[in-house]
Amino acid sequence: MATNGAAPPMIVTVTGAAGQIAYSLLPAICAGRMFGPTTRVALRLLEIPPAMTSLGGVVMELTDCAWPLLASVTATSDAAEAFAGTNVAVLVGAFPRGPGMERAELLAKNAGIFRAQGAALDAGAAPGCKVVVYPDVTRAKVAGKPEVDVVATMGGQQALAETFIPTIQKRGAAIIAARKMSSAMSAAKAICDHVATWLGGSDGATVSMAVAGSGEYGVEAGTFFSYPVTCEGGEWTIVEGLAIDEASRKYIDATSQELQAERTDALAVLAAATGGKL
Amino acid sequence: MATNGAAPPMIVTVTGAAGQIAYSLLPAICAGRMFGPTTRVALRLLEIPPAMTSLGGVVMELTDCAWPLLASVTATSDAAEAFAGTNVAVLVGAFPRGPGMERAELLAKNAGIFRAQGAALDAGAAPGCKVVVYPDVTRAKVAGKPEVDVVATMGGQQALAETFIPTIQKRGAAIIAARKMSSAMSAAKAICDHVATWLGGSDGATVSMAVAGSGEYGVEAGTFFSYPVTCEGGEWTIVEGLAIDEASRKYIDATSQELQAERTDALAVLAAATGGKL
């Protein structure tokens, strides 16, 4: 395979690198499914100290695979080292909700993790660095998509509401019930496609991406929300003016309110943990 | 991605399809890493009945990935259905050795599995079907490769014998010790590369493949052994006449004897189980 040997490799940071999603994601990145078949990749793998032994096994396997595009692999538990000069940061690692765990406790754990990683990104990432946060694969929604043609195909609005939407909402749980493990293959595919479209462009097509808007479609400005976007030159642009029917309006409003409540709670938890300094 | 819509899809059977190696292998096949970026694939996934629920979860994820090249997925516990008309059969599934399990018991389980699958392949596979058996990733050997240039690079014959070869021999165990799970990513990569080279050709390069020889390099005829081969037009040809030094000769002889002993035992176990009818 011809490689662009002259160009420096893309530096890609993956957090939660010893986890199941990363185990599906890393070979896809190394095979060129994120940056194309000629772009070399330097992997920076971040994990918490207790997972470093396991991460060592992943590094062995990446080495054994002898990927032609893989320029280097760094395994570290130091966020500053992981994010220094990074071009693309994929924040897969998050604290999972355990049995009996309070929502506030979960929020505190994860707000702390992402706050520390955000600070390291601010301090060290390359200019124009792309950051992908994908902590919750069960939050997929059809709202916000131009779904008009889909509705008829799915048997009308009622069938959509009664069958298709609940199936999507419960898909993560259904896969866990079947596999006894959460989905990793499909999450990795989504992450790869997402970054490939973001960097490589959407060829004029409208795709869904969770991005921070400026109040489009009645969602509070600054909320990361699944918007219809086009991508070109490494930048996304929200597609405005799509017709939103009454059913979609309700889904959008409910999701928007959920996200705002979650952000308020997370900020409160962080403020309490840091004595008011954010 | 442009697909060759007119051609019928390649029918690919994967056994042990709910297992960890298949979980890494299936997305690679669907991404075109086995047959290239325009060949559609029809997957036939074989599992034992207790694993069918888990396999259902894998099918959900394959569906969710929306692979452009994936023409269909069939999940079945019926070997005849799995192998009917198959073009490429990847026999990943095997009975693992448990704690305290006798070698003869392991051999009997696996000889039975592969005997049944072999019969189904004989009965139903497409003409020219390629069959890949990859039950033991720890059996990788450097013997038989043209390793002359490698020896100097690795610090000479003594360093090779004392450091490199034991590292390779114990690699599978090292990865299990680190990950608490056996290697799947690198096994899947090896399977994909293997089939891609077999079908697509090796461009004149010599690669290692475990194939049944006719006595080349002093290995008993009919033994599947890791030989140096070239591939063209979907056929492999053993490269003869490579110089074998004294150290490699010993490794080849030892491995050859191990494999012959294993085959003798497997045939005896099968003969006992079937009252002498094979």
Side-chain angles (χ1 to χ4, degrees), chain A residues 11-73:
Chain A
I11 302 177
V12 185
T13 305
V14 177
T15 73
Q20 284 301 302
I21 291 178
Y23 197 73
S24 285
L25 178 64
L26 296 172
I29 295 174
C30 293
R33 276 166 50 202
M34 195 175 262
F35 307 112
T38 62
T39 302
R40 291 183 310 142
V41 175
L43 286 179
R44 303 276 184 78
L45 307 182
L46 182 66
E47 259 300 354
I48 51 176
M52 289 307 288
T53 300
S54 176
L55 183 57
V58 175
V59 172
M60 283 187 226
E61 289 210 72
L62 287 169
T63 306
D64 294 351
C65 284
W67 302 101
L69 296 177
L70 184 56
S72 65
V73 184

Side-chain angles (χ1 to χ4, degrees), chain B residues 233-255:
Chain B
E235 302 295 332
W236 48 262
T237 306
I238 293 176
V239 177
E240 296 196 67
L242 294 176
I244 302 294
D245 66 14
E246 196 182 341
S248 292
R249 182 76 261 159
K250 280 185 192 163
Y251 290 122
I252 291 173
D253 289 346
T255 304

Side-chain angles (χ1 to χ4, degrees), chain A:
Chain A
M1 185 172 286
T3 60
N4 189 353
M10 288 288 275
I11 302 177
V12 185
T13 305
V14 177
T15 73
Q20 284 301 302
I21 291 178
Y23 197 73
S24 285
L25 178 64
L26 296 172
I29 295 174
C30 293
R33 276 166 50 202
M34 195 175 262
F35 307 112
T38 62
T39 302
R40 291 183 310 142
V41 175
L43 286 179
R44 303 276 184 78
L45 307 182
L46 182 66
E47 259 300 354
I48 51 176
M52 289 307 288
T53 300
S54 176
L55 183 57
V58 175
V59 172
M60 283 187 226
E61 289 210 72
L62 287 169
T63 306
D64 294 351
C65 284
W67 302 101
L69 296 177
L70 184 56
S72 65
V73 184
T74 304
T76 181
S77 59
D78 176 46
E81 185 183 8
F83 290 114
T86 193
N87 300 115
V88 173
V90 185
L91 311 187
V92 177
F95 204 90
R97 186 166 193 165
M101 193 176 187
E102 292 292 327
R103 187 166 167 279
E105 190 188 345
L106 180 71
L107 216 52
K109 292 268 191 194
N110 281 314
I113 289 172
F114 287 109
R115 181 172 173 276
Q117 293 182 354
L121 273 166
D122 270 350
C129 173
K130 310 299 182 197
V131 183
V132 181
V133 185
Y134 203 94
D136 182 1
V137 294
T138 66
R139 193 170 286 284
K141 303 275 179 182
V142 290
K145 275 194 186 171
E147 61 183 50
V148 182
D149 292 333
V150 178
V151 173
T153 316
M154 303 296 296
Q157 190 67 55
Q158 193 179 344
L160 202 70
E162 288 173 4
T163 309
F164 182 68
I165 292 175
T167 300
I168 298 294
Q169 287 172 330
K170 294 173 191 161
R171 189 66 160 184
I175 289 170
I176 290 174
R179 295 188 64 231
K180 313 294 174 211
M181 296 177 83
S182 59
S183 51
M185 179 203 297
S186 46
K189 170 73 160 48
I191 293 168
C192 261
D193 289 352
H194 179 79
V195 176
T197 303
W198 190 0
L199 293 182
S202 66
D203 283 331
T206 299
V207 298
S208 286
M209 282 193 179
V211 298
S214 321
E216 296 87 345
Y217 296 98
V219 176
E220 189 177 285
T223 308
F224 276 78
F225 198 85
S226 178
Y227 277 112
V229 303
T230 55
C231 295
E232 197 184 329
E235 303 295 332
W236 48 263
T237 306
I238 293 176
V239 176
E240 296 196 67
L242 295 176
I244 303 293
D245 66 14
E246 196 184 340
S248 293
R249 183 76 261 159
K250 280 185 192 163
Y251 290 123
I252 290 172
D253 290 346
T255 305
S256 177
Q257 281 157 26
E258 265 179 49
L259 290 170
Q260 284 168 45
E262 204 166 278
R263 187 172 59 170
T264 303
D265 291 352
L267 290 173
V269 162
L270 275 179
T274 58
K277 283 171 289 187
L278 281 183

